[in-house]
Every structure is written in structure tokens, then in C-alpha cells.
């Protein structure tokens, strides 16, 4: 498998590859170059293509078939294996120089039909000398012979073509009506119908329909213009007109003066003295009105004369301003602000009664101690060895003291982390992210010389999976041992800038099976090596990828 091996090496190198002599002289246009004066390229020699075909090899693959009677070079073309023919065994589509002495022809020499196709559809077949044309035949640029009477006939069942002589009458148009040239057709009307076909002269056919006179002698006929005008003159329409904002004593008007011959029907607006409809303009209504369901007033509700009494619960979703008395015999729920412009300020220094909300969100009265009206001050300190809170009743002041961690040695139980150099004692476990702005040194004390300097061993996470898997923030090396095709999905490159993963394929309880590939897939529109899927076919093969922090995962090792 030299070609396959070279292709693998070239893929792993991800660059040009030259094998043989003069290794420093590389042809710029070749991705793979072989040079030797005594060695050649040995292609894979395969006795049967069945196993390889099951792998769906792409077009362009070349093999040497050793199967008896079919030996030769084969190239994968149009997803079939095509043999590369020797000279004299092929036909050039641009034409060929023929030798008449060798009786050249195109066709078959054994008992197999010769077939011509276009767009993979059969058009002509030659079988044992017989020619069959499929899917129709088109003949262009035929000459017109007005005197010819011989024609070609095609049997619709067998497709056999024969000729026949026609009489001259076959070329004359027949009599027809509305395109119908059916021979020997009759023109008929129902028995007793008032209309009929008449022949006023030879070769002339006329359909006669009488006028409807209305005298009872004609069962059906045409309507004259004079009769239509009589119907039209006596017809009147009832027209529904637009709503009229002018009041009337009836609330509805039928008017025949605006449109002659028609009647206009419209509603008038109600007011304090007349009935009518409700318009979108301002209106005043008289009489008591009872509404059985809810009333919604988007612009406000004014009660100018009389009291506003609500015998049931009231819910107000907008601001409420009360300038006078408001009485609610039921519960009143207000979900917006309440403005009380007439409220008075108490002048009694000993009056400590206030309105507050209780646990049920109801407004109640409560007397508070005098200290509740004295402001409390707060102060801070960093003394002591642990958190401490002190209250000074005389000054009404609360002091919170939190020491700095590390200062005072391990005698300080706990404290704050400052923004200056500070010793920290004891093991610390962080459940979330730790960020180091400059450099970090692990395994020793001193000043680090790199962004991250480790004085000792490094342990990376490793996980074995047996099926498809999506990489997480807790992964580093993932070994796939799957008995079927498995997908390893990378996170978005933009979400993990610089992240490194190692993906390795290992056997699943048996020999190497390249059918059980591991497909490393990207998320969204990300790509890996110019695509969105990178397959790993062979066991013990791995790739190391790193995110560019934007939209790409680069393979940095394999």
C-alpha cells in the first residue's frame, strides 16, 4: 500500500512531500513527487474490489486489478471501477483516424447489445442487427413535397415502422365546429325547445332563438332592451349609509331624498334627550344605566355629582389621587401609586404611631420605639483575629471589624484578601474560575520566568468513552473505544480561546476496524482544517487540536 502510505505521510505532514533522489529539489506544483532512476511507483494489487467498494472509495482512486482475465489499471470514475484501456481499444470523442483495411466499427463482437445513451438514458439499442429507438425520435430539416402521398406508419404496440400510400383526400381539412372535426356528427336541440337550427341557404347553418314576449306562447327566449329598461326603472335599493352624529327623536332614519329611486338607512347619535347609537365622539346620556359586566375607562372616570360607592372589592391598576373622602365598603387593592395631597404632618414629638404593611400586605397601625426614629451610623475596622461586630449604644453606632488574612500569621482565623502582596495559609479549594493576570509559579517559591511555570509533574484529565461524546470544560484527552461510528463534538471555538484537546481512537475488543470511524465535528459554523468534520479511521491514531478563539480548530499534532 505504498500510495496509501505516502498519502498518509503527506496528510500528516500537511505540506509537500518528495520521496527519492534530489530531496532538496522539489517541484512547486506537485504535492507528492517521486524521483528515481531505478525504482517506480507500486500501486496496490487487488484480486477483488468488493471489500474496497463497500468502503465507498471516492472518484480518482487508482488500483491494479490482478483478477484473471481482467488484469490492468483501474480508476474510480463516477463511483465505478473503469479500466484504463490500451491503445486501439478506445474511441476518442473528438474523432478518430480510421484505417479502412482493418474494417473499423463501433459496437460489440459478442452476443451483447450495443447501447447508446444520453444523460444516462437509453436512446438507441442494436441487438443482433436490429435497431430499437427509445424515448422518441426527432428528424429535422425534412423537405416538403406537396405531391407526395406515401407516409410512414408506426405500430403502437410493437413500434415497427412501415410505409403506406394515402389518398389525396387525407390531406384536406374536414368540416368541424369549435375545432371538432369528428366525422358524421349531428346538430340537435331538445324536443319542444323554442330555439332550433335552420338552414336558410345551402352550406349555411343558423341557430334561431325567439324573443320572450310574455304572452304565454314562448316558453323561453331572449330579453329585449325595452323590457330590461322597464325592470330597471321599477327597481329600488336599500342603501346602508354611514353613522350620523346628528340626533333624531327616533334614533334611526330611512331617507329617500339623497339618492333618487333608492332609500338610505342610517343610525343617529344618542344624546341627553334622544335615543340612538353610541359613536366615538363625546356624548351625554340621560337615564340610569346598569352594566352587568366590567367597565373599563382607559382615560379616567369622573363622578361630578353624587357619591362614588363601591359595594364590592375594588382593584385599581393606575395611580389614584384622592382630594376628598373615599369610602370602600369592601377590600380595595391598589397596585400603583397612591397620592394623598391632603395628609397632615404630626407635630407631636411623642407620636410614634405609623402605618406599615403586615405579613398579609395589609396596611395597619403600629407604635414604634423612639430609637426607631434616631439614625444609626456604621463604621469599619481591620483589627483582631476574626470577624467582630460592636455596637455603641451611646453614639448609636455599629462597627464591623474584619482582619486581613495572613497578617499576624496563622493566628488569624480568617480575613480579607487585599490588593497588595499578602501571605495566605492553609489549603484553598475554589469551586469556580481562578484568573492570574501576570505569571504563576507552581511547585516552588520565587519569581516565575514564564506565564505558567511548573516545578514538577503535570496531570491532565483523561477519559475513555464507548460511543458519541461532546467535549466539556473538564476534558483534555478523550480515548474512543466504540464498536460503531462515533462522533466527538468540539465546543464553539469562540467560547474557549486557546483550549487544547487530544482525541484518540482505540480498538473496541477486536482487530482494527476502519469502518468504525471516529468523526471529530465542530459546532455551528466553526471549521477544522478547512471543513467541519475530521475522520479518524485507524486505531491508535490521535489528533491534538487547539482553538483560535474565533471560528477555527487547528490540528497542531497527529
Amino acid at each position: 500500500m505504498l500510495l496509501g502510505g505516502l498519502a498518509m505521510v503527506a496528510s500528516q505532514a500537511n505540506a509537500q512531500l518528495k520521496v527519492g533522489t534530489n530531496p532538496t529539489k522539489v517541484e512547486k506544483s506537485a504535492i507528492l513527487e517521486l524521483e528515481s532512476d531505478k525504482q517506480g511507483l507500486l500501486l496496490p494489487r487487488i484480486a477483488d474490489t468488493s471489500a474496497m467498494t463497500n468502503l465507498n472509495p471516492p472518484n480518482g482512486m487508482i488500483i491494479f486489478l490482478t483478477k484473471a482475465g481482467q488484469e490492468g489499471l483501474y480508476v474510480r470514475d463516477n463511483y465505478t471501477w473503469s479500466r484504463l484501456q490500451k491503445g486501439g481499444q478506445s474511441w476518442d470523442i473528438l474523432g478518430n483516424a480510421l484505417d479502412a483495411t482493418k474494417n473499423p466499427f463501433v459496437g460489440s463482437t459478442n452476443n451483447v447489445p450495443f447501447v447508446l445513451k444520453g444523460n444516462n438514458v437509453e436512446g438507441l439499442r442494436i441487438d443482433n442487427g436490429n435497431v430499437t429507438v427509445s424515448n422518441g425520435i426527432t428528424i429535422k430539416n425534412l423537405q416538403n413535397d406537396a405531391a407526395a402521398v406515401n407516409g410512414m406508419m408506426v405500430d403502437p404496440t410493437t413500434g415497427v415502422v412501415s410505409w403506406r400510400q394515402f389518398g389525396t383526400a387525407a390531406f384536406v381539412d374536414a368540416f368541424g365546429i369549435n375545432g371538432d372535426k369528428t366525422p358524421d356528427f349531428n346538430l340537435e336541440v331538445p324536443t319542444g325547445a323554442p330555439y332550433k337550427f335552420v338552414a336558410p341557404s345551402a352550406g349555411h347553418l343558423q341557430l334561431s332563438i325567439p324573443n320572450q314576449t310574455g304572452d304565454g306562447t314562448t316558453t323561453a327566449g331572449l330579453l329585449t332592451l325595452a323590457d330590461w329598461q322597464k325592470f330597471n326603472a321599477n327597481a329600488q335599493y336599500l342603501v346602508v349609509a354611514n353613522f350620523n352624529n346628528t340626533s333624531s327623536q327616533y334614533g334611526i332614519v330611512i331617507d329617500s331624498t339623497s339618492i333618487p329611486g333608492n332609500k338610505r338607512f342610517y343610525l343617529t347619535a344618542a344624546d341627553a334627550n334622544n335615543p340612538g347609537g353610541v359613536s366615538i365622539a363625546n356624548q351625554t346620556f340621560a337615564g340610569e344605566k346598569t352594566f352587568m359586566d366590567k367597565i373599563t375607562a382607559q382615560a379616567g372616570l369622573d363622578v361630578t355629582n353624587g357619591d362614588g360607592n363601591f359595594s364590592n372589592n375594588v382593584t385599581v391598576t393606575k395611580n389614584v389621587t384622592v382630594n376628598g373622602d373615599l369610602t370602600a365598603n369592601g377590600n380595595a387593592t391598589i397596585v400603583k401609586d397612591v397620592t394623598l395631597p391632603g395628609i397632615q404632618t404630626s407635630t407631636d414629638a411623642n407620636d410614634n404611631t405609623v402605618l406599615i404593611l403586615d405579613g398579609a400586605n395589609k396596611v395597619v397601625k403600629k407604635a414604634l420605639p423612639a430609637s426607631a426614629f434616631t439614625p444609626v451610623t456604621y463604621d469599619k475596622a481591620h483589627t483582631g483575629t476574626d470577624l467582630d461586630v460592636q455596637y455603641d449604644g451611646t453614639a448609636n453606632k455599629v462597627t464591623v471589624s474584619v482582619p486581613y488574612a495572613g497578617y499576624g500569621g496563622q493566628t488569624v482565623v480568617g480575613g480579607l484578601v487585599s490588593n497588595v502582596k499578602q501571605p495566605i495559609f492553609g489549603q484553598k479549594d475554589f469551586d469556580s474560575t481562578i484568573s492570574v493576570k501576570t505569571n504563576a509559579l507552581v511547585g516552588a517559591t520565587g519569581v516565575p520566568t514564564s506565564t505558567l511555570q511548573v516545578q514538577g509533574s503535570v496531570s491532565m484529565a483523561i477519559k475513555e468513552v464507548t460511543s458519541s461524546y461532546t467535549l466539556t470544560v473538564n476534558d483534555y484527552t478523550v480515548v474512543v473505544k466504540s464498536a460503531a461510528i462515533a462522533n466527538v463534538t468540539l465546543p464553539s471555538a469562540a467560547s474557549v480561546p486557546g483550549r487544547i484537546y487530544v482525541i484518540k481512537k482505540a480498538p473496541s475488543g477486536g482487530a482494527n476496524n476502519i469502518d468504525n470511524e471516529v468523526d471529530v465535528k465542530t459546532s455551528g459554523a466553526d471549521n477544522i482544517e478547512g471543513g467541519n468534520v475530521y475522520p479518524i479511521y485507524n486505531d491508535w491514531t490521535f489528533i491534538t487540536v487547539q482553538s483560535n478563539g474565533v471560528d477555527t480548530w487547528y490540528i497542531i499534532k497527529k
Side-chain angles (χ1 to χ4, degrees):
M1 302 292 286
L2 178 59
L3 182 60
L6 293 176
M8 182 178 297
V9 173
S11 174
Q12 293 179 351
N14 198 22
Q16 290 179 289
L17 177 65
K18 180 170 184 179
V19 179
T21 59
N22 298 320
T24 60
K25 296 182 179 180
V26 181
E27 173 58 41
K28 183 178 181 181
S29 63
I31 190 172
L32 173 63
E33 181 181 356
L34 307 178
E35 183 176 348
S36 176
D37 56 3
K38 55 184 177 182
Q39 292 176 302
L41 172 65
L42 182 60
L43 294 176
R45 291 156 291 176
I46 299 176
D48 193 302
T49 60
S50 299
M52 179 177 288
T53 302
N54 290 336
L55 298 178
N56 297 319
N59 292 331
M61 182 174 288
I62 301 176
I63 62 172
F64 185 87
L65 187 64
T66 61
K67 189 174 184 179
Q70 301 181 25
E71 299 89 342
L73 286 172
Y74 284 76
V75 64
R76 188 73 170 170
D77 182 32
N78 198 22
Y79 300 100
T80 59
W81 292 108
S82 301
R83 182 177 179 181
L84 298 179
Q85 300 292 346
K86 301 177 182 178
Q89 296 179 340
S90 61
W91 186 270
D92 194 333
I93 62 173
L94 298 179
N96 298 265
L98 304 180
D99 186 352
T101 61
K102 295 182 179 181
N103 297 319
F105 69 95
V106 176
S108 60
T109 58
N110 55 354
N111 190 22
V112 176
F114 176 69
V115 178
L116 293 179
K117 292 184 178 182
N119 196 23
N120 202 30
V121 178
E122 181 176 321
L124 185 142
R125 176 183 292 264
I126 302 176
D127 188 2
N128 200 26
N130 295 320
V131 179
T132 301
V133 178
S134 303
N135 300 312
I137 183 173
T138 301
I139 303 176
K140 295 183 178 181
N141 299 324
L142 293 177
Q143 295 182 356
N144 182 22
D145 187 352
V149 294
N150 296 327
M152 302 290 291
M153 307 292 294
V154 180
D155 189 306
T157 302
T158 64
V160 175
V161 179
S162 59
W163 74 275
R164 177 179 176 182
Q165 186 177 71
F166 298 92
T168 56
F171 302 95
V172 179
D173 290 341
F175 171 76
I177 292 179
N178 294 332
D180 184 5
K181 297 182 179 181
T182 306
D184 303 326
F185 64 84
N186 296 322
L187 297 176
E188 299 179 354
V189 296
T191 302
Y195 51 90
K196 58 185 177 180
F197 288 101
V198 296
S201 60
H204 183 70
L205 188 63
Q206 177 178 303
L207 176 62
S208 177
I209 303 175
N211 290 331
Q212 176 57 265
T213 60
D215 58 1
T217 60
T218 304
T219 59
L222 298 177
L223 184 67
T224 65
L225 175 60
D227 290 337
W228 179 87
Q229 290 175 339
K230 292 178 181 179
F231 282 113
N232 187 61
N234 289 279
Q236 287 188 346
Y237 300 94
L238 182 62
V239 179
V240 178
N242 294 332
F243 186 89
N244 195 320
N245 285 315
T246 301
S247 300
S248 70
Q249 60 178 331
Y250 302 107
I252 185 172
V253 174
I254 299 178
D255 178 23
S256 60
T257 60
S258 299
I259 305 176
N262 300 318
K263 294 184 181 297
R264 191 165 64 103
F265 168 84
Y266 59 87
L267 292 174
T268 59
D271 60 15
N273 301 310
N274 298 291
V278 178
S279 69
I280 60 175
N282 295 336
Q283 285 179 268
T284 300
F285 302 106
E288 182 177 317
K289 303 293 185 292
T290 300
F291 297 91
M292 302 303 297
D293 294 314
K294 180 175 67 175
I295 298 177
T296 300
Q298 293 184 352
L301 181 64
D302 295 333
V303 180
T304 56
N305 295 316
D307 297 330
N309 297 320
F310 304 92
S311 58
N312 290 316
N313 296 340
V314 177
T315 299
V316 182
T317 59
K318 293 291 186 178
N319 298 338
V320 176
T321 300
V322 179
N323 294 315
D325 295 336
L326 176 64
T327 301
N329 296 323
N331 295 331
T333 301
I334 302 175
V335 297
K336 290 290 184 177
D337 298 337
V338 177
T339 302
L340 303 175
I343 193 168
Q344 298 179 359
T345 301
S346 175
T347 59
D348 185 357
N350 298 318
D351 186 3
N352 298 331
T353 304
V354 295
L355 296 177
I356 63 173
L357 289 176
D358 65 4
N361 285 331
K362 293 183 178 179
V363 179
V364 297
K365 293 191 301 181
K366 187 175 182 66
L368 299 180
S371 60
F373 300 91
T374 302
V376 179
T377 61
Y378 296 88
D379 198 1
K380 64 181 183 297
H382 300 291
T383 59
T385 60
D386 202 352
L387 174 65
D388 188 27
V389 179
Q390 298 291 334
Y391 174 69
D392 184 350
T394 303
N396 200 18
K397 181 175 70 172
V398 176
T399 302
V400 179
S401 179
V402 182
Y404 287 112
Y407 294 115
Q410 299 187 30
T411 59
V412 176
V413 178
L416 299 175
V417 177
S418 68
N419 59 356
V420 296
K421 184 177 180 180
Q422 181 180 7
I424 302 295
F425 297 92
Q427 178 178 322
K428 301 296 183 288
D429 296 327
F430 297 92
D431 291 336
S432 188
T433 303
I434 299 177
S435 298
V436 179
K437 184 176 182 180
T438 55
N439 302 331
L441 174 61
V442 181
T445 59
V447 179
T449 59
S450 300
T451 303
L452 175 62
Q453 182 177 345
V454 180
Q455 296 293 106
S457 60
V458 177
S459 177
M460 301 294 186
I462 184 170
K463 176 181 289 186
E464 293 183 352
V465 298
T466 58
S467 60
S468 295
Y469 181 71
T470 298
L471 294 169
T472 70
V473 68
N474 298 318
D475 292 319
Y476 181 75
T477 299
V478 174
V479 181
V480 184
K481 296 181 176 180
S482 177
I485 295 176
N487 298 325
V488 176
T489 304
L490 295 163
S492 168
S495 66
V496 289
R499 177 76 59 81
I500 297 176
Y501 288 116
V502 179
I503 302 102
K504 185 178 183 71
K505 181 177 185 288
S508 175
N512 184 25
N513 188 345
I514 63 176
D515 291 333
N516 298 339
E517 65 187 79
V518 174
D519 290 328
V520 182
K521 295 187 174 182
T522 60
S523 299
D526 286 0
N527 68 83
I528 176 172
E529 298 294 282
N532 53 19
V533 179
Y534 187 90
I536 302 176
Y537 295 106
N538 294 309
D539 290 340
W540 311 120
T541 303
F542 76 96
I543 61 172
T544 302
V545 297
Q546 185 171 12
S547 164
N548 72 342
V550 182
D551 58 3
T552 301
W553 287 89
Y554 291 110
I555 296 179
I556 58 176
K557 188 176 181 181
K558 59 183 175 179

